[in-house]
Amino acid sequence: MDHFLYRDGILHAEDVPLPEIAAEVGTPFYCYSTATLTRHYRLFEEALSGLDHMVCYSVKSLSNQAILRTLAGLGAGMDVVSGGEYRRALAAGVRGEKIVFSGVGKTREEMGFALAHGIRQFNVESDAELQSLSEVASTMGKTAPITLRVNPDVDAKTHEKIATGRKEDKFGIPISRAPEIYAQATRLPGIEVVGVDVHIGSQLTDLAPFEAAFTKIADLTRSLRADGHDIRRVDLGGGLGIPYTTSNETPPLPLDYGAMIHRVFGGLDIEVEIEPGRLIAGNAGILVAQVIYLKQGEGRDFLILDAAMNDLIRPAMYGAHHDIVPVIEAPAAIDQRPVDIVGPVCESGDTFAKQRPMPPLAAGDLVAFRSAGAYGAVMSSEYNTRPMIPEVLVHEDQYAVIRPRPSFDEIINRDKLPNWL
Ligand code: LLP
C-alpha cells in the first residue's frame, strides 16, 4: 500500500496534488511519501517483534539525507556499501554505532574512516579484506567488530543481475570455507567476531530461497558456536521483493518473512539484523514526467517524455516494468491504446515501455512512474548532459525539495580545461 492516490481525479502524494509540485519544481522530478516510508519501515519492526533485532535500512536504494533522517527518526540503523554512503548516513545524523558496512571491495581508507567515527560491524567478504581490516584497525589501536558474509550457494530466483548468493557470484565467502576463515579471524589482531552475514539477492518474490539460505546460516551458527565462536548476531541482508504492478503480483508480506525468520532463528538466542531497501523505499516514490510529443511511427505510436533512461535506468538495465499512470485520472470507460513510452536520449534503449496500453494523452500532460523510489534517483546520471532531476519529499500537506535541480552552469563548470587548450 502506498500514499499516491487519486482524489477528485488528480493524483496526490499524501495530501498534495502532484500538479502543484510540478508547477513549482518543473518536470521531471522524484516524489517520495513520508507516510509510505514510515509504514513500510514499521512493517519490518512488527514482523521481527519478539526477537532481539535491528532493521538497518539499505542506504543504496534511496540515499537522500532527508530519507535517512526520516527512517533514523523511527529507530532504523543503516546498511552502507561505500565511504560515501557512510558519510551520508553520518551527515543525516545517524551514529556510527548504528551503521553496518557491507560491500565486496572496501578500501583501507573507507575502513579507517568508519573505525574512526564508529561502526556497528563490518560485513567482511573475503580473507584478503579481513587481513586489511586487521591491519588498519590494529594500526589505529582499534578493534573492528565483524561478521563474515557467507555465500550459501542458493539461487534467489530473481533477475540474473541482482542474484548474489550462488557460488559463481562474486559475493561472500563460500560456506564450505567459513569454519577456516572464522578460525583465522579469531587469530587476527584488531578483529572481533560478532556474527554471520548473508544476502542472496534483491527483488525476491518467494520465501523459499530465503528460508533455504537462512537455514544454512542457522546451522553454521550452531557449528561455529560449537567451535567456540561467540556468534551473537546474524545479518540476513535485504531482498524482499515488492509488487511492481497492482494487478497480478503478490510477493510475500513482511509479516510472513518475519514469521519464517522467527521459525529459523527463534530458538537460537541471537540478535537478528536485516537490511531491507526496496521494500521500504520502492513504493514510497514515484517519478513524475511530462509528455513532450506524440509521434506516429510505422505501425506504432510513441509517447515521448521529458524523463529518460538517465533518470530511471531500471527498464533499460533490467527490462524492469514500472506502471505508468496519467496524473489526471482517465475516465474508467476510456479506450486504452498501446504506445511505446520513450525518453529523449539518443539510444533505442531509452524506452520505458513497449506497446503499453495507455489512455489518450497530449503534449503537456503529466504521467507518474510508480514504484520508482528504490534504485531510481540513486542510479541516475547526467548522460546527455541532462541535469539530475529534483527530489521532493511530501509529509501530509507539506512538501519540500530535498535535492534541487542543478543549473547547467553548475554541471558544465565542473569540467576543467587543461592549460594546453
Ligand atoms: N544488503 C546488501 C548487501 C545488498 O547488496 C542489497 C542490495 C541490499 C541489502 C538491499 O536489497 P533490497 O532489500 O533493496 O532488495 N539496482 C537493482 C537492485 C540492486 C540491489 C543490490 N543490493 C534494481 O534496480 O533492481
Side-chain angles (χ1 to χ4, degrees), residues 44 56-61 79-81 102-103 123 125 149 158-159 161-162 164 171 197-204 210 235-241 244 274-280 313-314 317-318 320 322 374-376 378-379:
F44 281 116
C56 293
Y57 170 66
S58 177
V59 170
K60 67 159 74 103
S61 62
D79 165 50
V80 304
V81 291
S102 301
N123 293 330
E125 298 225 15
R149 175 168 175 181
T158 181
H159 190 283
K161 289 189 179 153
I162 53 176
T164 56
F171 301 95
D197 171 48
V198 70
H199 169 79
I200 59 170
S202 192
Q203 186 52 18
L204 272 72
F210 280 125
D235 180 333
L236 303 178
L240 194 58
Y244 274 95
I274 55 169
E275 303 170 348
R278 190 190 312 263
L279 200 136
I280 293 178
I313 201 161
R314 303 192 68 259
M317 194 153 176
Y318 313 111
H322 287 264
Y375 308 109
V378 288
M379 292 180 80

Side-chain angles (χ1 to χ4, degrees), residues 42-226:
R42 292 206 169 124
L43 286 176
F44 281 116
E45 279 292 337
E46 207 181 307
L48 296 184
S49 71
L51 288 172
D52 184 11
H53 70 272
M54 184 180 273
V55 178
C56 293
Y57 170 66
S58 177
V59 170
K60 67 159 74 103
S61 62
L62 172 58
S63 60
N64 190 293
Q65 284 178 59
I67 303 298
L68 304 187
R69 185 166 296 192
T70 301
L71 292 168
L74 300 169
M78 300 285 151
D79 165 50
V80 304
V81 291
S82 69
E85 285 190 353
Y86 179 90
R87 284 170 165 83
R88 228 175 228 284
L90 282 191
V94 182
R95 283 183 301 113
E97 289 66 30
K98 292 197 89 171
I99 303 177
V100 305
F101 203 141
S102 301
V104 76
K106 301 172 201 77
T107 64
R108 286 170 182 251
E109 188 279 328
E110 289 173 321
M111 293 167 175
F113 190 83
L115 280 168
H117 292 83
I119 188 79
R120 182 169 161 81
Q121 97 226 4
F122 291 93
N123 293 330
V124 173
E125 298 225 15
S126 64
D127 29 4
E129 182 192 336
L130 191 59
Q131 188 63 45
S132 294
L133 184 58
S134 163
E135 285 165 20
V136 173
S138 35
T139 308
M140 294 171 73
K142 300 257 183 193
T143 301
I146 66 126
T147 70
L148 290 178
R149 175 168 175 181
V150 168
N151 182 323
D153 193 22
V154 168
D155 186 348
K157 303 251 175 349
T158 181
H159 190 283
E160 168 63 23
K161 289 189 179 153
I162 53 176
T164 56
R166 303 160 302 182
K167 62 176 183 294
E168 64 269 32
D169 298 321
K170 69 180 174 184
F171 301 95
I173 287 159
I175 197 159
S176 55
R177 289 196 61 210
E180 161 204 340
I181 301 177
Y182 271 96
Q184 191 182 320
T186 50
R187 289 194 295 269
L188 285 171
I191 296 289
E192 185 196 4
V193 171
V194 299
V196 185
D197 171 48
V198 70
H199 169 79
I200 59 170
S202 192
Q203 186 52 18
L204 272 72
T205 51
D206 183 3
L207 287 183
F210 280 125
E211 185 157 3
F214 295 172
T215 303
K216 289 189 180 191
I217 297 304
D219 291 344
L220 178 65
T221 299
R222 286 186 199 95
S223 75
L224 289 171
R225 282 177 170 175

Side-chain angles (χ1 to χ4, degrees), residues 25-39:
V25 307
T27 55
F29 64 93
Y30 278 101
C31 178
Y32 310 121
S33 150
T34 303
T36 314
L37 286 167
T38 305
R39 183 185 134 80

Side-chain angles (χ1 to χ4, degrees), residues 284-331:
I286 58 171
L287 165 59
V288 178
Q290 190 173 153
V291 177
I292 309 181
Y293 296 117
L294 300 172
K295 173 158 128 175
Q296 267 185 348
E298 190 86 52
R300 66 173 64 204
D301 293 341
F302 296 94
L303 201 59
I304 303 170
L305 304 181
D306 61 359
M309 64 191 288
N310 69 299
D311 304 312
L312 177 66
I313 201 161
R314 303 192 68 259
M317 194 153 176
Y318 313 111
H321 172 100
H322 287 264
D323 276 356
I324 303 170
V325 297
V327 166
I328 304 299
E329 192 173 22

